[in-house]
Amino acid sequence: MNGKITRIISNLYTVKSGDLTYGCRARGKFRNLGISPVVGDNVVIDQEENYILEIEPRRNELKRPVIANVDICFIVTSTKKPDLDLVLLDKLLSVVIYNEITPVICFTKTDLLNDLEMETIENIKKYYEMIGIKCVYNTEKTLIKKIVEGNTVVLAGQTGAGKSSLINSLDENLHIETNEISEALGRGKHTTRHVELYEIANGYIADTPGFSALDIKEIGKEELKYTFPEFDKYECRFRDCMHKKENDCGVKKALDEKLILQSRYNNYLLFLEEVEKWK
């Protein structure tokens, strides 16, 4: 029988097949092959013995959060408490784009902003939309459900950004634990401790543990620039231009003309330095 892994707790895999759910164990052969079943895997199970027999080939896989076969990643981005973190946002975008997953930025907690802060967020949102990345506010529930329909969606973002709260707002029958922001630390407290797929809006949404740090060592330094889609619009003198110190760089020229967001370019250089340490 074919099914999809929707939750993993300890060594018990919850597999959804049609309208039925099975609690399964994994065969020892996966450990011998160095393979671990993950949430989102399409699998073949023995429903009589409750064992996972085969893992079907994955379209893609994220390492953090650990999940496979994702269509869309909602990068849930707090605008206040915790404050907007453009470094983490851009790093998540690079990882998601590199893994050929469609990114959607979901801004949360705009009700905490004053008029000037809201104007800043709206300008940032316009920039990301201009470079081809869909952006939504967490209050746009109808639009979010339309995006989710028919897709497997993962939520990613820092602790306390409002991932679990977003899922709760999309399905009133769910009561996923949430928590207040720590005033002392200025960030959220972990409430989600495992990855789990929920059936919402005729699709799947994965809630994931939050995090505030992420490495991008899986991306090669020559590939990193392609995870910044706005760079593709500008021609450089050298085909292998890294947009760093080279002459006649179209990206640096566009930056000088304020066609590229300064924070985006700064983050690109930051990530490039990080990637070069691993190569």
Side-chain angles (χ1 to χ4, degrees):
M1 180 178 289
N2 294 315
K4 179 186 287 288
I5 297 176
T6 60
R7 181 175 62 179
I8 303 173
I9 297 180
S10 297
N11 293 318
L12 185 65
Y13 300 82
T14 301
V15 178
K16 184 85 174 355
S17 181
D19 294 328
L20 300 176
T21 300
Y22 300 87
C24 296
R25 303 285 180 181
R27 286 291 191 195
K29 71 173 185 178
F30 298 123
R31 184 170 57 252
N32 296 333
L33 293 171
I35 301 171
S36 296
V38 302
V39 169
D41 269 335
N42 297 310
V43 295
V44 178
I45 65 170
D46 180 339
Q47 70 271 28
E48 301 289 336
E49 300 292 333
N50 290 333
Y51 272 104
I52 296 174
L53 302 177
E54 301 290 341
I55 301 172
E56 297 182 9
R58 295 166 180 162
R59 297 198 321 274
N60 53 48
E61 179 183 2
L62 292 176
K63 302 297 184 185
R64 184 176 184 183
V66 181
I67 189 169
N69 301 314
V70 177
D71 300 303
I72 297 170
C73 178
F74 273 78
I75 301 174
V76 182
T77 304
S78 174
T79 58
K80 194 106 172 182
K81 294 187 178 181
D83 292 339
L84 178 66
D85 186 341
L86 291 177
V87 174
L88 180 60
L89 170 59
D90 286 340
K91 190 172 283 191
L92 279 167
L93 281 171
S94 287
V95 171
V96 168
I97 291 170
Y98 176 76
N99 283 281
E100 299 183 352
I101 297 169
T102 300
V104 176
I105 301 172
C106 180
F107 292 103
T108 67
K109 306 188 182 182
T110 54
D111 58 309
L112 302 179
L113 303 178
N114 60 39
D115 291 345
L116 183 58
E117 290 169 332
M118 189 65 206
E119 183 180 352
T120 298
I121 294 299
E122 288 177 346
N123 288 333
I124 290 173
K125 180 174 178 286
K126 287 177 183 177
Y127 178 83
Y128 283 104
E129 289 174 332
M130 182 268 294
I131 65 173
I133 296 171
K134 185 180 290 293
C135 298
V136 299
Y137 293 116
N138 64 313
T139 52
E140 298 179 284
K141 297 177 187 177
T142 301
L143 176 57
I144 291 171
K145 287 181 178 180
K146 186 175 180 181
I147 296 171
V148 171
E149 186 174 0
N151 291 303
T152 296
V153 176
V154 63
L155 305 187
Q158 67 198 117
T159 304
K163 299 184 297 298
S164 298
S165 296
L166 176 61
I167 295 180
N168 286 338
S169 73
L170 296 175
D171 188 336
E172 61 185 18
N173 295 316
L174 292 175
H175 303 284
I176 301 170
E177 181 186 359
T178 61
N179 214 331
E180 298 297 321
I181 299 299
S182 167
E183 294 293 338
L185 299 175
R187 61 176 184 264
K189 305 169 187 176
H190 289 285
T191 52
T192 302
R193 295 176 176 83
H194 62 274
V195 180
E196 181 167 355
L197 288 175
Y198 297 94
E199 289 189 84
I200 297 175
N202 296 315
Y204 284 103
I205 299 183
D207 191 20
T208 66
F211 49 88
S212 56
L214 178 74
D215 70 65
I216 53 174
K217 61 185 179 181
E218 65 177 322
I219 305 176
K221 69 175 185 177
E222 293 82 9
E223 300 165 313
L224 178 66
K225 59 186 176 182
Y226 298 114
T227 68
F228 285 73
E230 62 266 51
F231 290 3
D232 291 342
K233 295 168 56 177
Y234 307 105
E235 291 188 10
C236 301
R237 178 180 177 185
F238 304 105
R239 180 175 293 183
D240 59 351
C241 183
M242 297 300 295
H243 316 313
K244 188 176 180 181
K245 298 179 180 179
E246 298 87 348
N247 295 323
D248 299 325
C249 172
V251 168
K252 289 192 293 181
K253 182 179 179 181
L255 181 69
D256 292 339
E257 296 173 356
K258 301 189 184 304
L259 298 174
I260 292 176
L261 195 65
Q262 184 69 51
S263 62
R264 286 282 286 170
Y265 182 72
N266 292 346
N267 288 338
Y268 166 73
L269 294 181
L270 182 68
F271 303 160
L272 184 61
E273 181 180 356
E274 182 178 332
V275 167
E276 287 175 337
K277 289 180 181 178
W278 291 100
K279 303 304 175 184

